[in-house]
Amino acid sequence: MTDYEAVIGLEVHAELLTESKIFCGCSAKFGAAPNENTCPLCLALPGVLPVLNRRVVEFAIKAGLATHCAIAPLSRWARKNYFYPDLPKGYQISQYELPICLDGRIDIEVDGTTRPVRLTRIHMEEDTGKNIHDQHGDASLVDYNRCGVPLLEIVSEPDLRTPAEAGAYLRKLRQILQYLEVCDGNMEEGSFRCDANISVRPRGTAAFGTKAEVKNMNSFRAVEKAIEHEIERQIDLVRHGEKVVQETRLWDPDREETRSMRSKESAHDYRYFPDPDLLPLEVSRQWIADVQATMPELPDARRARFASAYGLPAYDAEVLTARKDIADYFETAVRAGGSAKAVSNWVMGDILRIVRERKLDEALVIRDWPVSPAHLAEMLTLIDDDTISGKIAKTVFEQMVATGKAPAAIVAEQGLSQVSDSGAIEAAIAAVLDANADKVAEYRAGKDKLFGFFVGQVMKATQGKANPGKVNELLKQRLAE
């Protein structure tokens, strides 16, 4: 590898979160029964004409603005001709020589260094259906629900050199699309898919080697491992005097290797031509300005603001802004009265633990989960005013997750209020010290570590309800007597 370097470009297909498909009124939602979301148009029956979904164009403009692209005032639809059973028309409506977005940029950070990755283009197109093999004996079936679901194809320049850079680019791109709420980024369901074009060349040379395209990767880790394997495979070929073939290869996650799928098509193989059923698309400056006005704060800007406005460490700001729904949750809890650092600690700890356990990180659904930001802020207030201890707060939090109830109600129902009464705590301390006279003698002889033991025994005796600060204060006084 040290004598060679890889040249990597990525093509990402992002399914858009529109209610309906790009050229008809069928639902674009994932998970319906096979062929339920179909009509004569997406089944390509004779006599139908496509009607463009305006929302798709707005989502494409959003993606272009967020990635520093120029938005073309005029773009054109093209027919991309090829035949597969999951493409009933025999062609895909896409964009070719005049895409809607050009010359963008995404900044990635790898090993502490930030650098730009150029975008060649972003264009709109329709998705194909889905072939289903190996589930019904020798028969292969086709589900056309996905036919006509809107896609953005986002094409990078070959600016990436390592699997880690490719992973960073994909994560950043998905984060941006999720912030824009134009794509859910779910790789397992295929709504965020990546093809990687990979070649190798002797380090220090400018000419590109022959590239191979790798498909069938459904996670960031799979993308990185597939690229790593393909780089090693091509270097091995070159070192042994063999040629790299331009082809499309599949990633086999079980064997962790790429396998040949078919020879690589070139643009002329698709016989592109302008679609006669669709007018060229004109995008006015006013339309772009209207979309610009709806843009959310993007992750880089939000991360910087979290650090400056809330005084959070860089690590906290990075974690909290990794997902828009998590960042929204944090800010709502702070506005509801929680201190920024306390809310940050709970979000990065228990909240994200629940997110991972319930796999809420696979979709943008944290806004629907049972512990509302207001309830988290209310619980933190109960800690601040000494109504409950931090230890009891853990119990209250689990009850909030299980029941969705407000923390104050849980504390009242279960009698979890903190005991701060000096008399009650002194009585518990006296009982503990009387029951452990030998350890008291050891402590007073210099075995200071036993102090933690006494604290633990008092907390146990009070069922965790004693005010820890009071316990420490009164215990020191009593042991010093």
Side-chain angles (χ1 to χ4, degrees), residues 204 386 467:
D386 286 338
N467 183 320

Side-chain angles (χ1 to χ4, degrees), residues 236-445:
D236 188 59
L237 286 173
V238 174
R239 279 180 172 160
H240 287 84
E242 300 179 49
K243 289 186 177 179
V244 176
V245 177
Q246 182 171 335
E247 62 182 350
T248 298
R249 299 179 68 83
L250 286 178
W251 169 243
D252 184 334
D254 296 326
R255 297 185 176 184
E256 295 195 347
E257 64 181 21
T258 64
R259 290 188 282 110
S260 182
M261 176 184 177
R262 61 173 182 257
S263 61
K264 173 66 178 171
E265 297 92 345
S266 299
H268 66 264
D269 293 324
Y270 292 120
R271 301 292 192 270
Y272 282 102
F273 66 86
D275 192 305
D277 290 338
L278 287 161
L279 292 171
L281 176 65
E282 295 184 19
V283 177
S284 67
R285 290 184 180 180
Q286 184 58 52
W287 194 1
I288 296 172
D290 290 345
V291 173
Q292 178 80 62
T294 69
M295 295 283 283
E297 184 181 32
L298 293 172
D300 286 353
R302 201 168 197 185
R303 183 175 65 249
R305 182 171 62 79
F306 273 25
S308 61
Y310 297 117
L312 295 175
Y315 176 79
D316 291 35
E318 177 76 29
V319 173
L320 294 173
T321 58
R323 289 172 44 146
K324 181 176 183 296
D325 55 342
I326 296 289
D328 290 346
Y329 186 96
F330 165 81
E331 289 215 278
T332 305
V334 172
R335 284 196 292 269
S339 76
K341 184 54 182 165
V343 173
S344 173
N345 289 342
W346 275 86
V347 170
M348 292 195 302
D350 292 76
I351 297 289
L352 288 182
R353 172 178 60 80
I354 298 294
V355 168
R356 286 190 293 271
E357 287 176 357
R358 298 190 174 195
K359 297 185 176 181
L360 298 176
D361 52 342
E362 294 178 358
L364 305 175
V365 294
I366 190 173
R367 66 186 65 134
D368 300 326
W369 89 313
V371 176
S372 69
H375 282 176
L376 178 64
E378 181 183 317
M379 189 191 75
L380 295 176
T381 300
L382 294 177
I383 298 173
D384 288 342
D385 66 13
D386 286 338
T387 300
I388 57 174
S389 66
K391 182 178 177 62
I392 289 294
K394 295 286 186 182
T395 301
V396 173
F397 178 81
E398 294 303 327
Q399 290 293 311
M400 291 160 62
V401 173
T403 67
K405 290 183 178 179
I410 294 170
V411 170
E413 288 174 4
Q414 302 187 19
L416 296 174
S417 293
Q418 184 166 249
V419 176
S420 295
D421 176 66
S422 296
I425 295 175
E426 284 173 345
I429 289 173
V432 167
L433 297 187
D434 287 347
N436 296 279
D438 54 338
K439 289 187 169 54
V440 172
E442 290 178 37
Y443 175 85
R444 285 173 172 157

Side-chain angles (χ1 to χ4, degrees), residues 5-8 197-201 208-212 231 234:
E5 70 172 359
V7 178
I8 306 163
N197 288 292
I198 305 156
S199 64
V200 298
R201 64 186 176 190
F208 290 169
T210 302
K211 67 182 178 183
I231 291 171
Q234 292 188 20

